């Protein structure tokens, strides 16, 4: 299908500072990326969109994910975002190329499983990758693995149901431990010494992964994404000034295509963050 590049819905040059960064995920997982971006760019204004009505993304088709990603990126730009972070490995694998082709002038940061750092860290040359079914089946992941496996054995473990369970969990018990144990057992059997948390939701269950994989180094890419986001933000505003300013961080604005309550109460319980979440219709 041939597609035409389109202008960014709102011109970045016309927008006020500080930089406004749109971030989205299928649900709460991208909050782990949002937190890392907030720590690195405390003066940035963050706009978070959770596509809860259409989660989980891990079981969706590529075309569906492209369509949702385009709608949400457009929505975030209409709210003033000057750049977009796809805080979801699954949506990145399916749609990041589409977003860049549609809006060549819009900086878009994607998230992908940290195979490269994991392989570099593995003394046993055995690395586990925990991610959604869709991420692991994607062409983008195949190319990533091919480019960076570097002779190491990659043990790929799809985790259907896990993102949903994290979304619904009140705390780290709540049956989550059983699911994490089920998906970690094959990695233990394969004697991996490094495992990649290849879904932004899984970061919230990190303590359970640590328990299920004793002695195994866990890799997530939130920090690397925050660094990349800061580089892009640097091109948009003078970040040096922003960092030096000690005024309080601007409010985080958030939207959900599903129940705003789910996102708000997750942010309160897990991040001690009070966020007013509005309905997102797109
Ligand atoms: N948080 C998303 C990711 O990083 C996906 C979770 C889902 O299946 O919706 O892949």
């Amino acid at each position: 299908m041939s597609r035409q590049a389109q202008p960014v819905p709102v011109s970045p040059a016309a927008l006020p500072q500080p930089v406004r960064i749109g971030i989205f995920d299928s649900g709460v997982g991208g909050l782990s990326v949002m937190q890392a971006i907030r720590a690195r760019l405390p003066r940035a204004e963050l706009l978070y969109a959770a596509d809860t009505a259409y989660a989980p993304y891990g079981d969706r088709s590529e075309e569906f994910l492209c369509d949702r990603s385009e709608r949400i990126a457009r929505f975030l730009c209409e709210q003033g975002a000057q750049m977009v972070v796809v805080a979801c490995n699954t949506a990145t694998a399916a749609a990041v190329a589409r977003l860049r082709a549609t809006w060549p002038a819009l900086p878009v940061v994607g998230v992908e499983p940290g195979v490269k750092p994991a392989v570099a860290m593995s003394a046993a040359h055995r690395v586990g990758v925990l991610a959604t079914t869709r991420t692991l089946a994607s062409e983008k992941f195949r190319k990533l693995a091919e480019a960076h496996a570097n002779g190491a054995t990659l043990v790929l473990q799809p985790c259907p149901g896990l993102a949903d369970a994290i979304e619904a969990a009140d705390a780290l018990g709540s049956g989550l431990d059983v699911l994490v144990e089920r998906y970690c057992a094959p990695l233990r059997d394969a004697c991996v010494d490094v495992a990649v948390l290849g879904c932004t939701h899984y970061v919230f269950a990190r303590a359970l992964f640590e328990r299920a994989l004793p002695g195994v180094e866990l890799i997530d890419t939130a920090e690397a994404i925050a660094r990349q986001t800061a580089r892009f933000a640097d091109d948009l505003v003078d970040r040096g000034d922003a960092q030096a300013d000690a005024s309080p961080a601007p409010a985080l604005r958030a939207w959900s295509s599903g129940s705003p309550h789910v996102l708000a109460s997750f942010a309160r319980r897990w991040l001690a963050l009070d966020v007013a979440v509005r309905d997102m219709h797109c």
Side-chain angles (χ1 to χ4, degrees):
M1 186 182 11
S2 88
R3 300 179 50 82
Q4 275 199 322
Q6 294 174 26
V8 177
V10 176
S11 156
L15 292 165
Q17 294 183 18
V19 65
R20 286 194 185 134
I21 302 171
I23 303 168
F24 77 90
D25 178 41
S26 62
V28 301
L31 291 174
S32 58
V33 176
M34 188 278 295
Q35 251 202 324
I37 293 174
R38 206 157 181 252
R40 187 162 282 270
L41 294 172
R43 289 264 302 132
E45 191 173 334
L46 305 183
L47 284 58
Y48 188 86
D51 202 13
T52 317
Y54 299 94
Y57 276 3
D59 306 331
R60 299 288 192 174
S61 75
E62 208 158 291
E63 196 44 46
F64 183 90
L65 294 174
C66 282
D67 179 60
R68 288 309 300 160
S69 298
E70 276 192 336
R71 285 171 189 266
I72 296 168
R74 180 180 293 110
F75 173 84
L76 288 168
C77 289
E78 286 166 358
Q79 309 310 313
Q82 295 161 286
M83 61 182 290
V84 170
V85 178
V86 186
C88 173
N89 293 263
T90 313
T92 298
V96 79
R98 172 81 71 91
L99 295 180
R100 289 176 180 144
T102 305
W103 296 295
L106 177 70
V108 177
V109 178
V111 180
E112 58 188 14
V115 171
K116 190 179 176 185
V119 166
M121 191 177 278
S122 172
H125 304 294
R126 303 181 74 77
V127 168
V129 185
L130 300 138
T132 67
T133 308
R134 169 63 50 201
T135 295
L136 294 178
S138 69
E139 182 59 14
K140 199 166 192 310
F141 180 79
R142 193 191 61 73
K143 287 184 178 156
L144 179 80
E146 200 175 279
H148 299 298
N150 204 17
T153 300
L154 299 183
V155 182
L156 308 186
Q157 181 60 57
C159 308
L162 185 54
D164 257 358
I166 290 169
E167 196 93 16
D170 279 333
L172 283 180
S174 335
L176 258 188
D177 40 2
V178 177
L179 217 44
V180 168
E181 166 54 29
R182 181 187 308 159
Y183 292 135
C184 287
L187 270 56
R188 275 200 313 270
D189 294 346
C191 300
V192 306
D193 61 349
V194 182
V196 177
L197 301 182
C199 167
T200 52
H201 279 72
Y202 303 168
V203 175
F204 290 106
R206 193 182 183 98
L208 296 180
F209 284 107
E210 279 168 358
R211 196 185 309 160
L213 295 169
V216 173
E217 203 68 52
L218 298 177
I219 303 279
D220 78 76
T221 51
E223 266 309 314
I225 299 311
R227 277 198 302 278
Q228 173 74 348
T229 303
R231 278 194 286 272
F232 277 51
D234 228 359
D235 291 341
L236 292 171
V237 292
D238 179 358
R239 200 176 105 235
D241 285 350
Q243 299 284 40
D245 189 334
S247 59
L252 162 69
R253 292 194 282 151
W255 293 265
S256 169
S257 60
S259 159
H261 168 74
V262 171
L263 181 63
S265 70
F266 190 95
R268 196 171 312 117
R269 281 198 318 273
W270 294 75
L271 303 175
L273 208 59
D274 262 319
V275 195
V277 183
R278 283 178 278 173
D279 286 315
M280 174 172 70
H281 301 287
C282 66

